[in-house]
Amino acid sequence: MKISFEKKILLGFIINLLVVIASGWVFISRLDKHRDLTNDSVLNWIELSLFVLSMVLLTIVYFIIKAQLRAKNISQNLLLESKQLIQSIIDNTSNPIFIKKINGEYLLVNKQFGSIFQIPNEEIVGKTDHDFLPKEVADVYRNSDLEVAKALKELKTEETIQQPDGPHTYIAVKFPLYDSTGRIYAIGGISTDISERKKLEESFKAADKFFNMSLDMMVIATKDKFIKINPAVSRILGYSEEELLSRPFLEFTVPDDNDVTKKEVAKLQTGVATMNFENRYICKDGSIKWLSWSTYPDPSTGLLYSIASDITAKKEIEDSFVVADKFFNMSNNLLVVSKGEHFIKINPAFTKTLGYTQADIKSIKFTELTHPDDKKIVNEVLAKLLKGDEIVNFEYRVRCKDGTYKWLDWHSTIDMQQGVMYSVARDITDKVKNEQSLKIVNNFFEMSFDAFFVEKGNKIIKINPAFTKILGYDQNDLERISLLDLLHPDYIKIVSERREKRLKGEVVASDVMFPLLCKDGSYKWTESVISTDIKEGMIYAVLRDITQKRLDEDLLNNYTQKLKDNEQQIQSIFDGAPDPVIVIDSESNVVRWNPKAESVFGWKITEVMGKHLYDFIIPERYLQEHKTGMEHFLSTGIGAILNKTYDIEAVNKEGAEFPVSISVSPIKMGEKYFFIGFVRDITESKKAVDELYENKEKLRLILENISEGVIVANADRKVVMANYMANEIFGIEEDDKISSNLTDHFELYFPDEKTVFPSQKLPMERALDGEETNDVEVVLWNPVAQQKRRVLISGRPLVDQDNKVVAAVVTIKDISKYKQMEEELKETELKYRQLIGFRKGGDTVT
């Protein structure tokens, strides 16, 4: 059995004590004069033996103590070296570390701990938190220390510390330290900065919110069942989440689509992504809906990540192509069919806008009508079209028959087999250049500002959005009522008779005006253009709301009649108008000038009455145009600006010009013409347009100063904008040299850095296909710079008013340093636990 140092010393003490007692007994025995002297020799030997034994024991104790002292010195030196090593290691780690006594006095801190509070380490050791921190902060730290002392085990807390660059969030791991007797004598702590991780967690929460907020169906599924869905799935299909998750998804598909759906799922299991796969689902109410699916398989888990859009309305529109063709000649937009460089067919709106007839256009190449400065752009667009690309929002100037130029916004596509191009254009000369692109022929029906409807058997079978906007009815409302129900009682007979004549092929005047009943019970006057398909018994009609026009006409008639009957009453009406109203005769002399005109232009009625209008409010540069237009109308009865609203500059009494919107209507009284002008000051609306461009510049500055890379690509997958951080990530300063396909710049891998990341799953490709993506983690390897980055990539599609993708925005966040910090944190925490003898559960390692 091994005897401890303390027991050895005690045993030696006891033996020496017995020797001393025995020696004392021998000495006392010698003092007795009556003793037996024959025993003295024995006592001498005993005394000598005891002395020798005492010397031997003292020598042994000496060497034992000396050995223990040497071991103690060696241990102290090793302890000092270990302490210096520990201090050196903890000073060179990125984590703040401390050890403090039970009373809160610091025993040990590293450099990082001192740097948090901007205090040297030597000013912290030997002090408590209350000596250098605010009381409320020190109290919190002291309470957490006491919790560890009470629990006698490791505790983790989250702490926020204000630092020069802002608040930082730390995970503080505090644990008890024990002495050799097993009593707690100190509290140790290791803190880890998780500020960036907290931001990532918030980002993940935001991504989950977008999942639940998405208007499209978002699904995670196995090969046969849904395992997670967003609320849009239940909203679109009508089933509860429990119903959708508890049954195979093939039970919800139309039986005729099951086979093709199974084949698509089998293809997904091979790792091939699906884009725009269409099938039909049976809703809970029994209706059928068409869905367009984009699905990406995860080979590592076997899960399928899908997003689906409800394209039922789109399918219905496709079935309406025949209807759309009926409106080709009725459209207010320019419609063109061409082949090579020659026009094949144009619609009346083309002739109305540019002046060319079908006969004129046969001998003209469309490139001859292009403005010289725009020919290069047009040639580039034609080259792309011939490659099969579709051009959206292409703008250029076209020469009119009178020699002037007009800006047109084109949307073109090409039939590659026939080489025929189909184009639609809108006159944007007086509008902003960034107006939404127009639809091709199959969208004309939906885009019109006039109300379109198709009628058969007195039932309105289809309407466009403008019909709903003007009269208030939607398609469901019209299933319960007939066309005759919408007519004013005074017009039912005449409209019915005209309808019967059309269906018999008899000639009927093309235009008719009649009031229609709105959903709110009011009536609106409409002007219609009718086309009849006798064979099918269908009537196609275009309605225009002329209620305001009728009101204006009625108002004008009232003005004229009252002018004859009561001059004072007419003057009261003019005086009460909310906008300037000016009346001039055929010599441009002012005959009416209301109070609002006085306040807007500054001229009193007494100053302008009977004088030429152009001497007061018309800028000098427009004088000749005004006079020429007046002479042309008086000689031909035609005025280019009459009965229209147009914008122009006017001048006030102070000589200041400002923009106005003006509408001029002629009236004839006897043999003399008068002209009534309704004027509106549009200074504020012009200012709003200027503010729009100012906001655009502010947006550009914001993009250049955010910490994430941002790139924008158009529908042709060409990068049209990149901010400074994106330029740095790609190592390219010129935006147009950055490719929207990352594989042109980097080798792409999954986070395991081994599996190649497929380019079709990149957020840019998915955004251009209409899908939103959030925080896709990808490893970018630049083989030229020999550089690796870990990034989170997100993508968003930009759509026009018709929900068509026109561009994509992609953000790239470099998280390389955060990933490195996480690995360092794990490695450092493990080392410290081993170094200070800490083991989970509150025990020490011996």
Side-chain angles (χ1 to χ4, degrees):
M1 180 179 66
K2 185 177 180 181
I3 302 175
S4 64
F5 173 71
E6 291 82 359
K7 289 182 178 180
K8 290 178 181 179
I9 296 297
L10 178 60
L11 182 61
F13 172 76
I14 292 173
I15 293 174
N16 273 287
L17 181 62
L18 293 174
V19 170
V20 171
I21 293 173
S23 298
W25 175 77
V26 171
F27 178 75
I28 293 173
S29 297
R30 288 181 180 275
L31 295 178
D32 185 4
K33 294 179 179 182
H34 302 288
R35 70 182 182 279
D36 186 1
L37 296 177
T38 59
N39 292 329
D40 285 350
S41 61
V42 175
L43 292 175
N44 289 335
W45 281 106
I46 292 173
E47 187 174 13
L48 178 63
S49 298
L50 291 173
F51 175 78
V52 172
L53 178 60
S54 177
M55 293 301 295
V56 171
L57 289 174
L58 289 174
T59 303
I60 291 172
V61 170
Y62 167 76
F63 283 107
I64 290 174
I65 293 174
K66 184 177 181 181
Q68 291 296 329
L69 290 175
R70 184 185 302 109
K72 180 179 179 181
N73 290 332
I74 293 173
S75 177
Q76 287 179 340
N77 291 334
L78 290 175
L79 180 61
L80 179 60
E81 292 177 1
S82 177
K83 183 177 180 181
Q84 291 173 343
L85 177 61
I86 291 174
Q87 186 68 46
S88 176
I89 292 174
I90 65 175
D91 280 342
N92 287 279
T93 185
S94 59
N95 296 77
I97 299 174
F98 71 85
I99 297 176
K100 62 173 71 172
K101 295 180 180 179
I102 294 298
N103 65 359
E105 181 181 326
Y106 281 94
L107 293 174
L108 174 69
V109 296
N110 66 345
K111 293 180 180 179
Q112 286 68 29
F113 186 88
S115 65
I116 292 178
F117 302 104
Q118 302 294 307
I119 302 174
N121 288 10
E122 55 271 15
E123 295 184 14
I124 297 178
V125 175
K127 296 182 179 179
T128 66
D129 292 319
H130 288 84
D131 293 330
F132 58 90
L133 293 176
K135 183 179 184 304
E136 60 274 11
V137 177
D139 288 342
V140 172
Y141 291 170
R142 181 57 180 163
N143 290 336
S144 66
D145 293 343
L146 294 176
E147 289 295 327
V148 174
K150 292 177 182 178
L152 296 178
K153 64 179 182 179
E154 169 191 332
L155 294 179
K156 289 185 179 181
T157 59
E158 188 173 300
E159 300 175 349
T160 300
I161 301 177
Q162 188 67 35
Q163 295 183 234
D165 60 347
H168 281 238
T169 303
Y170 288 85
I171 286 291
V173 179
K174 295 185 178 181
F175 46 88
L177 295 176
Y178 300 90
D179 59 18
S180 60
T181 64
R183 296 178 58 189
I184 182 173
Y185 76 95
I187 302 295
I190 302 175
S191 298
T192 304
D193 190 343
I194 61 167
S195 302
E196 293 300 328
R197 191 171 75 190
K198 292 287 286 186
K199 294 179 181 177
L200 289 176
E201 290 174 356
E202 293 172 0
S203 177
F204 293 151
K205 291 179 181 178
D208 192 57
K209 288 182 180 179
F210 282 122
F211 179 85
N212 292 323
M213 292 169 58
S214 174
L215 297 178
D216 287 331
M217 296 168 52
M218 302 183 75
V219 171
I220 302 175
T222 63
K223 65 179 181 179
D224 53 7
K225 292 183 69 174
F226 298 134
I227 61 173
K228 184 176 182 180
I229 62 173
N230 70 339
V233 181
S234 295
R235 176 176 53 78
I236 293 174
L237 299 181
Y239 300 100
S240 66
E241 182 176 354
E242 292 76 14
E243 291 174 314
L244 290 165
L245 297 181
S246 62
R247 296 158 55 188
F249 53 72
L250 285 178
E251 291 186 12
F252 301 103
T253 60
V254 172
D256 292 343
D257 292 350
N258 281 351
D259 289 341
V260 68
T261 302
K262 289 177 181 178
K263 291 179 181 178
E264 198 66 26
V265 171
K267 186 177 74 173
L268 285 167
Q269 289 180 295
T270 65
V272 179
T274 291
M275 301 300 294
N276 300 325
F277 168 69
E278 298 177 0
N279 65 356
R280 292 167 294 176
Y281 267 61
I282 304 171
C283 299
K284 190 169 185 178
D285 61 5
S287 62
I288 304 297
K289 287 196 175 180
W290 278 94
L291 300 178
S292 176
W293 295 87
S294 293
T295 305
Y296 295 89
D298 186 345
S300 62
T301 62
L303 296 179
L304 306 177
Y305 297 85
S306 302
I307 181 169
S309 299
D310 182 359
I311 59 170
T312 307
K314 178 183 176 183
K315 286 292 184 180
E316 292 175 355
I317 293 173
E318 291 174 354
D319 295 337
S320 304
F321 281 165
V322 176
V323 176
D325 187 61
K326 295 290 183 179
F327 297 103
F328 181 85
N329 292 324
M330 299 163 63
S331 175
N332 291 324
N333 299 316
L334 285 70
L335 307 180
V336 177
V337 181
S338 60
K339 186 173 184 179
E341 295 185 353
H342 296 278
F343 294 98
I344 298 176
K345 185 179 180 181
I346 61 174
N347 71 336
F350 190 97
T351 301
K352 183 178 179 181
T353 303
L354 301 179
Y356 302 101
T357 64
Q358 185 70 45
D360 296 331
I361 220 71
K362 289 182 179 179
S363 59
I364 302 175
K365 296 181 179 180
F366 58 77
T367 53
E368 295 176 0
L369 304 182
T370 305
H371 190 283
D373 295 342
D374 296 339
K375 285 189 175 181
K376 181 178 178 181
I377 299 174
V378 172
N379 290 334
E380 292 175 355
V381 171
L382 289 175
K384 291 182 178 180
L385 278 173
L386 293 174
K387 293 179 181 179
D389 292 345
E390 188 176 27
I391 307 302
V392 179
N393 285 344
F394 171 60
E395 301 172 0
Y396 75 99
R397 288 162 287 184
V398 177
R399 188 178 73 246
C400 302
K401 191 172 183 179
D402 61 5
T404 61
Y405 283 90
K406 286 190 176 181
W407 277 98
L408 299 181
D409 184 6
W410 291 88
H411 185 125
S412 301
T413 189
I414 187 169
D415 184 337
M416 293 299 294
Q417 292 182 346
Q418 302 294 327
V420 177
M421 289 186 291
Y422 300 91
S423 303
V424 58
R426 175 176 290 181
D427 182 1
I428 59 169
T429 305
D430 299 324
K431 298 179 182 179
V432 292
K433 294 293 189 338
N434 61 350
E435 187 177 358
Q436 296 288 344
S437 62
L438 301 177
K439 287 185 176 180
I440 53 178
V441 175
N442 62 322
N443 288 326
F444 299 155
F445 186 81
E446 298 293 333
M447 293 169 54
S448 176
F449 294 104
D450 294 329
F452 290 0
F453 73 84
V454 182
E455 181 261 334
K456 184 174 183 179
N458 270 330
K459 296 292 290 184
I460 298 176
I461 61 175
K462 191 168 182 64
I463 61 173
N464 70 337
F467 190 99
T468 302
K469 183 177 181 181
I470 293 173
L471 298 178
Y473 303 101
D474 58 25
Q475 191 68 53
N476 293 331
D477 296 328
L478 295 173
E479 290 178 359
R480 300 186 297 272
I481 57 178
S482 69
L483 173 63
L484 297 180
D485 294 329
L486 303 183
L487 291 171
H488 190 280
D490 296 342
Y491 288 83
I492 292 178
K493 181 178 180 180
I494 185 173
V495 172
S496 298
E497 292 175 351
R498 291 166 66 92
R499 179 182 179 281
E500 293 300 323
K501 289 181 179 180
R502 286 195 181 92
L503 293 175
K504 292 178 181 179
E506 298 178 15
V507 178
V508 180
S510 59
D511 296 334
V512 64
M513 293 183 291
F514 50 85
L516 289 178
L517 177 65
C518 299
K519 191 173 182 179
D520 61 6
S522 64
Y523 280 92
K524 284 191 178 180
W525 277 93
T526 61
E527 182 178 46
S528 65
V529 178
I530 309 294
S531 177
T532 307
D533 186 336
I534 299 175
K535 183 178 180 181
E536 298 293 334
M538 300 179 71
I539 294 177
Y540 302 87
V542 179
L543 298 179
R544 177 166 294 176
D545 182 2
I546 60 168
T547 306
Q548 189 60 46
K549 179 181 177 182
R550 287 291 297 251
L551 291 174
D552 291 342
E553 290 175 353
D554 291 343
L555 180 62
L556 183 58
N557 291 334
N558 288 337
Y559 285 163
T560 304
Q561 186 62 37
K562 289 180 181 180
L563 181 62
K564 296 177 182 178
D565 299 337
N566 192 332
E567 181 68 17
Q568 184 61 40
Q569 187 176 3
I570 294 176
Q571 187 62 47
S572 299
I573 295 174
F574 272 87
D575 291 347
D579 294 314
V581 180
I582 302 169
V583 182
I584 63 173
D585 59 18
S586 56
E587 286 76 38
S588 294
N589 295 320
V590 177
V591 297
R592 293 286 181 188
W593 184 271
N594 72 341
K596 192 64 177 180
E598 290 185 349
S599 64
V600 171
F601 295 103
W603 297 97
K604 298 295 183 182
I605 188 171
T606 55
E607 297 176 296
V608 300
M609 186 62 69
K611 298 179 182 178
H612 294 309
L613 177 68
Y614 48 75
D615 290 335
F616 298 94
I617 70 170
I618 300 177
E620 185 175 356
R621 62 181 179 278
Y622 297 135
L623 293 183
Q624 188 58 45
E625 182 178 345
H626 171 81
K627 294 177 181 178
T628 302
M630 181 68 77
E631 293 172 358
H632 183 266
F633 174 80
L634 294 176
S635 62
T636 65
I638 299 174
I641 66 172
L642 298 178
N643 296 316
K644 297 180 181 178
T645 300
Y646 63 97
D647 298 343
I648 195 171
E649 286 75 32
V651 63
N652 60 19
K653 187 174 183 179
E654 302 299 326
E657 288 190 9
F658 58 96
V660 296
S661 176
I662 185 169
S663 175
V664 180
S665 299
I667 60 172
K668 190 173 184 179
M669 299 180 64
E671 296 299 319
K672 191 171 183 180
Y673 275 100
F674 290 85
F675 302 87
I676 300 179
F678 298 89
V679 185
R680 177 170 294 173
D681 186 350
I682 60 172
T683 304
E684 292 301 320
S685 63
K686 290 289 186 181
K687 185 185 297 183
V689 173
D690 293 338
E691 291 176 354
L692 176 63
Y693 287 101
E694 181 177 322
N695 291 336
K696 182 178 179 182
E697 179 62 19
K698 290 179 179 178
L699 176 60
R700 185 189 67 80
L701 292 174
I702 292 172
L703 288 177
E704 288 298 336
N705 286 275
I706 63 177
S707 61
E708 298 179 0
V710 180
I711 61 174
V712 180
N714 61 20
D716 296 326
R717 288 173 165 74
K718 180 179 179 181
V719 174
V720 296
M721 187 186 75
N723 68 349
Y724 173 79
M725 184 55 68
N727 295 143
E728 181 180 339
I729 291 173
F730 284 91
I732 299 174
E733 295 184 359
E734 298 83 357
D735 295 353
D736 57 357
K737 291 185 179 180
I738 296 176
S739 173
S740 62
N741 189 349
L742 290 181
T743 57
D744 294 340
H745 302 282
F746 306 101
E747 294 178 6
L748 309 180
Y749 298 94
F750 279 97
D752 62 6
E753 302 185 21
K754 297 177 181 179
T755 307
V756 176
F757 194 97
S759 61
Q760 67 270 22
K761 293 180 65 175
L762 288 171
M764 175 63 78
E765 297 300 320
R766 295 162 70 177
L768 290 171
D769 288 327
E771 179 184 357
E772 292 187 6
T773 52
N774 294 291
D775 294 339
V776 176
E777 186 172 348
V778 180
V779 176
L780 306 180
W781 171 253
N782 188 333
V784 177
Q786 294 291 299
Q787 184 181 30
K788 178 181 73 176
R789 292 179 186 263
R790 283 182 175 266
V791 296
L792 293 178
I793 308 177
S794 300
R796 296 288 186 278
L798 296 180
V799 297
D800 59 15
Q801 65 182 4
D802 304 313
N803 205 31
K804 186 176 182 64
V805 177
V806 297
V809 179
V810 170
T811 60
I812 305 174
K813 183 175 182 180
D814 190 342
I815 61 169
S816 302
K817 65 176 183 179
Y818 306 137
K819 290 293 183 179
Q820 183 179 357
M821 289 170 61
E822 288 182 3
E823 295 300 325
E824 289 179 353
L825 171 61
K826 293 177 181 177
E827 183 178 351
T828 302
E829 185 173 354
L830 178 60
K831 288 181 178 179
Y832 291 156
R833 289 174 179 272
Q834 296 174 346
L835 186 61
I836 64 177
F838 175 73
R839 184 170 61 197
K840 189 170 183 181
D843 298 329
T844 55
V845 179
T846 59

